[in-house]
Amino acid sequence: MIDNRARYSQLIKDEAQRLGFMQCGIAKADFLEEEAPRLEKWLANNHNGKMAYMENHFDKRLDPRLLVDDGKSVISLTLNYFSDAEQSDPEAPKISKYAFGTDYHEVIKSKLFELLEFIREKIGAVSGRAFVDSAPVLDRAWAKRAGIGWIGKNSNLISKKSGSFFFIAELIVDLDLVYDNAFETDHCGTCTKCIDACPTEAILSPFVIDAKKCISYLTIELKDEIPNHFNNKMDNWMFGCDICQDVCPWNRFSVPHSEPAFSPNEKLLEMKKTDWMDITEEVFQMIFKNSAVKRTKFKGLTRNIEFLKIDKA
Ligand code: B12
Ligand code: SF4
Ligand code: SF4
């Protein structure tokens, strides 16, 4: 019998590239032994804060075979979101690059479904599921296993070719494929730029983030008031934070994405500080129509903007 695994793996990688994914690697679906005690400790220390969903499905998060019956392979995919566009007013409250355009969940899901459909068409009756971000899957651990990059001290997955401004997604399938070598080397070396630059000291030690202190958590995930002790520490971020990636030397190699759906909303880039301070729900709905920023709702974004007013006081 001819072993088709190599041919299938190549077909999948070629199609992933055609769909616009930046990198594609494949790992054997297995228990994440090294990550299990780290995740357990992270949760035990309540580094997840009020993200209760991180406590759910502990076993599934560590074993993809519990998510897809007879799952054999995890196909890891990355999609570039780097943009060199900037908000025109340097005083305007800042928004993370990843949220400039259309919500990435929508954009990536449709590409993943196309890839799964392609696999079924070319290879046969393959069972599988598509995951991006919100599922109980350790996206970065899988991308590392699939040979895409290493986990940096800021806990982001970094690729030597393209830095870290990319999303990670997976297809978990019941198909045997050829597995890439895990990325075993660390290229942070003695650098500590991300740890030194984090304004809220959220990077407790290399690789360990206390989400409760991270501006991304405070501005997006936290539904309560932002605690007062973060006054003057938010560095003018109103949605997400890019600091620990902006300072990373590996991001000198980032190139702007070519995904039309991620093109920045022009109005968003033009808004002046005063426009943000006076933003109405109507303007919010217009600018963030298909954006991930809708996640905070108008109420959440204005809470963040209000907090920055105190910040500047
Ligand atoms: C919860 C979450 C957050 C939380 C917590 C962050 C965190 N570090 O966990 C908050 C809200 C703070 C957050 C912020 C951001 N996030 Co987020 N987030 C997630 C989510 C949903 C789960 C992450 C998770 O499982 N955390 C649990 C902890 C335990 O995992 P971990 O931090 O990866 O921890 C590992 C390391 O600590 C490692 N470790 C511990 N000790 C050691 C020692 C050694 C030697 C080594 C090698 C490793 C190691 O082991 C742990 C287990 O694998 C993922 C999506 C997903 N499903 O994976 C996106 C995800 C990680 N986020 C993403 C992004 C883009 C961001 C932001 C950049 C957004 C922004 N601009 O505001 C920031 C970056 C902040 C930061 N420095 O991490 C991307 C990262 C892409 C990439 N290139 O890495 C992901 C993968 C979403 C996606 N699908 O693209 N996020
Ligand atoms: S995203 Fe910002 S607040 Fe969060 S760890 Fe990185 S630098 Fe710190
Ligand atoms: S800034 Fe330095 S330490 Fe931090 S992730 Fe980048 S290379 Fe690693």
Side-chain angles (χ1 to χ4, degrees), residues 21-258:
F21 287 110
M22 186 163 61
Q23 277 172 284
C24 172
I26 308 175
K28 184 174 163 42
D30 222 336
F31 178 62
L32 288 171
E33 203 164 342
E34 228 178 290
E35 287 77 6
R38 290 172 182 160
L39 176 64
E40 195 174 5
K41 195 169 165 200
W42 193 77
L43 292 170
N45 286 329
N46 186 231
H47 291 331
N48 57 315
K50 294 199 172 167
M51 294 181 293
Y53 65 86
M54 287 303 299
E55 289 155 32
N56 301 337
H57 310 297
F58 183 80
D59 295 336
K60 286 185 182 157
R61 207 176 286 277
L62 292 165
D63 195 337
R65 294 167 303 183
L66 302 176
L67 288 165
V68 171
D69 283 342
D70 208 20
K72 296 206 169 62
S73 305
V74 180
I75 305 169
S76 254
L77 301 136
T78 67
L79 189 64
N80 186 12
Y81 65 81
F82 180 74
S83 167
D84 53 13
E86 286 178 6
Q87 291 173 258
S88 59
D89 180 359
E91 301 265 295
K94 293 182 278 189
I95 175 166
S96 170
K97 289 187 228 319
Y98 87 82
F100 276 1
T102 302
D103 188 343
Y104 65 100
H105 298 94
E106 310 299 323
V107 178
I108 297 179
K109 269 268 153 94
S110 76
K111 288 184 193 288
L112 290 175
F113 289 140
E114 265 195 72
L115 185 57
L116 194 54
E117 211 29 62
F118 169 88
I119 294 173
R120 287 176 176 148
E121 218 172 81
K122 299 286 174 193
I123 300 175
V126 172
S127 275
R129 287 177 68 188
F131 299 95
V132 53
D133 192 39
S134 45
V137 180
L138 288 173
D139 291 343
R140 304 189 259 209
W142 286 108
K144 179 177 183 258
R145 283 202 170 198
I148 292 176
W150 76 99
I151 291 174
K153 289 179 190 169
N154 59 14
S155 94
N156 286 308
L157 198 279
I158 309 176
S159 146
K160 258 181 144 176
K161 284 186 218 154
S162 45
S164 64
F165 286 111
F166 53 77
F167 300 113
I168 308 172
E170 307 81 23
L171 283 184
I172 302 178
V173 290
D174 67 348
L175 177 71
D176 254 325
L177 292 164
V178 172
Y179 303 123
D180 291 291
N181 293 326
F183 201 102
E184 298 293 4
T185 43
D186 164 82
H187 295 276
C188 284
T190 55
C191 173
T192 56
K193 283 183 193 288
C194 52
I195 301 175
D196 303 339
C198 174
T200 54
E201 296 174 10
I203 310 176
L204 300 182
S205 56
F207 321 110
V208 181
I209 310 293
D210 183 351
K212 296 191 297 302
K213 291 182 161 184
C214 177
I215 294 170
S216 188
Y217 168 87
L218 295 168
T219 55
I220 305 170
E221 300 284 338
L222 183 67
K223 303 298 166 234
D224 310 335
E225 287 305 306
I226 301 173
N228 279 337
H229 58 265
F230 290 107
N231 276 348
N232 295 313
K233 292 196 172 158
M234 302 292 283
D235 194 43
N236 212 19
W237 289 94
M238 67 169 163
F239 187 91
C241 167
D242 287 339
I243 297 175
C244 57
Q245 298 192 86
D246 282 338
V247 299
C248 179
W250 289 98
N251 280 324
R252 286 193 308 246
F253 304 109
S254 306
V255 287
H257 66 75
S258 49

